[in-house]
Amino acid sequence: MSALVVCLLAASCADDGTPTETVSSPEEVADNGGEELVVCAGTSLPLSALQSLEPMSSRPEIEAAVNVFLETGEGDFWPQDGWQIVTISESEVYVIVLQTEASARRVAEERELEVFFDEGFGDGIDDTILFSAHNVTREDTTWGWRGSVSGEDCVLESVVPDGFNRVDWEPDPGSAAPGPGTERLDLLATERECTGGQQMGDRLQPPTVVETADAVLISMVATPPEGDAFTCQGNPSTPVTVNLSSPLGDRELLDGATTAGRLSDYVGETFGLP
């Protein structure tokens, strides 16, 4: 996103969680100046690389590294075919496959795998898109598998600046739901990284608020707490108030970190998805 105007208002919170407001000067959101990066399931990818996938079979050294995992007991339950390579750098690639729940179930039955599907999401009977990926890196001249991830179609997020944690937000369910006449947004912000359950307090940075004719986009980050290791029992939410320059109207209320869309928007055709 470029040349959008950051409008008006930032909100931060006092140590006791009470929302406090500060007004920022309008300024333009600058381009990254280089290759645009997005984050998919924790891995940063050049957005342009999603336009030039290559079959894993075309890179035997990558295929051999991934097969180290696929040939294990756990790997047997992962997709065995259709993998495509996303080149991140000369020493790192992301190997991905997208499939529908229905096709995943069909393949599992054909391979006589004991896979259990739940009612609703994960029931294996619809076109919900499932995502699987492997991280593969090279050390010296040897490529090696470094980990795998799977889940629903990957949401592409903007890269958080160095030295900050990502903060998710949602409308405060204890307040009136946003509507056309809304000028004050009451939100709950929650730090995503593990922090040992600490309150954000003044670690929460003023949110970036971008108002356009079609949407209101809000994104937030927080400085990490002091320390090197934290438990992950869940983080408390912090109330945040955002005042808009004009009523919300019929504009969408969006997380500004997720405007790039989903992975399937870019590579769905490669995997034969509708």
Side-chain angles (χ1 to χ4, degrees), residues 2-271:
S2 62
L4 292 177
V5 178
V6 175
C7 294
L8 296 177
L9 191 138
S12 60
C13 295
D15 290 338
D16 62 2
T18 303
T20 59
E21 300 174 4
T22 58
V23 178
S24 62
S25 301
E27 61 185 28
E28 290 190 349
V29 178
D31 290 330
N32 289 330
E35 178 66 72
E36 184 177 359
L37 299 177
V38 290
V39 178
C40 175
T43 296
S44 296
L45 310 168
L47 193 58
S48 63
L50 298 178
Q51 311 297 328
S52 55
L53 305 185
E54 57 181 317
M56 185 173 70
S57 58
S58 68
R59 299 278 299 274
E61 70 279 17
I62 305 298
E63 186 173 41
V66 171
N67 283 341
V68 169
F69 170 74
L70 294 180
E71 292 169 1
T72 65
E74 180 184 350
D76 195 44
F77 288 88
W78 287 63
Q80 302 294 301
D81 304 305
W83 295 98
Q84 296 279 330
I85 294 174
V86 181
T87 299
I88 299 174
S89 68
E90 292 182 356
S91 59
E92 183 178 8
V93 300
Y94 206 42
V95 184
I96 64 173
V97 67
L98 296 180
Q99 57 188 159
T100 64
E101 282 188 354
S103 65
R105 182 168 193 155
R106 184 174 60 254
V107 170
E109 290 173 347
E110 291 173 353
R111 299 183 62 217
E112 298 182 344
L113 297 174
E114 291 189 25
V115 178
F116 298 95
F117 294 90
D118 299 325
E119 294 286 333
F121 172 71
D123 57 14
I125 62 173
D126 60 24
D127 289 333
T128 298
I129 297 173
L130 302 180
F131 157 76
S132 302
H134 305 292
N135 288 93
V136 183
T137 62
R138 185 181 66 189
E139 294 184 5
D140 297 325
T141 60
T142 303
W143 288 90
W145 171 85
R146 303 303 177 212
S148 301
V149 64
S150 65
E152 196 175 352
D153 188 11
C154 181
V155 174
L156 302 177
E157 299 180 307
S158 60
V159 176
V160 174
D162 290 341
F164 292 96
N165 285 346
R166 191 179 297 277
V167 173
D168 297 320
W169 61 265
E170 63 179 350
D172 187 346
S175 300
T182 297
E183 295 186 69
R184 167 188 164 127
L185 296 170
D186 294 318
L187 312 175
L188 290 180
T190 307
E191 199 167 5
R192 187 182 298 182
E193 280 81 359
C194 299
T195 66
Q198 298 182 54
Q199 293 278 356
M200 282 187 286
D202 58 8
R203 295 191 296 105
L204 178 61
Q205 302 301 295
T208 297
V209 182
V210 176
E211 296 191 44
T212 72
D214 300 316
V216 174
L217 304 102
I218 302 171
S219 55
M220 304 186 204
V221 298
T223 55
E226 294 184 1
D228 298 321
F230 303 97
T231 55
C232 295
Q233 68 267 39
N235 295 326
S237 296
T238 298
V240 173
T241 299
V242 170
N243 290 329
L244 303 178
S245 63
S246 60
L248 182 62
D250 60 359
R251 294 180 294 174
E252 288 189 90
L253 184 57
L254 301 174
D255 186 333
T258 62
T259 56
R262 291 181 174 270
L263 184 63
S264 61
D265 296 334
Y266 298 84
V267 302
E269 186 175 347
T270 300
F271 295 100

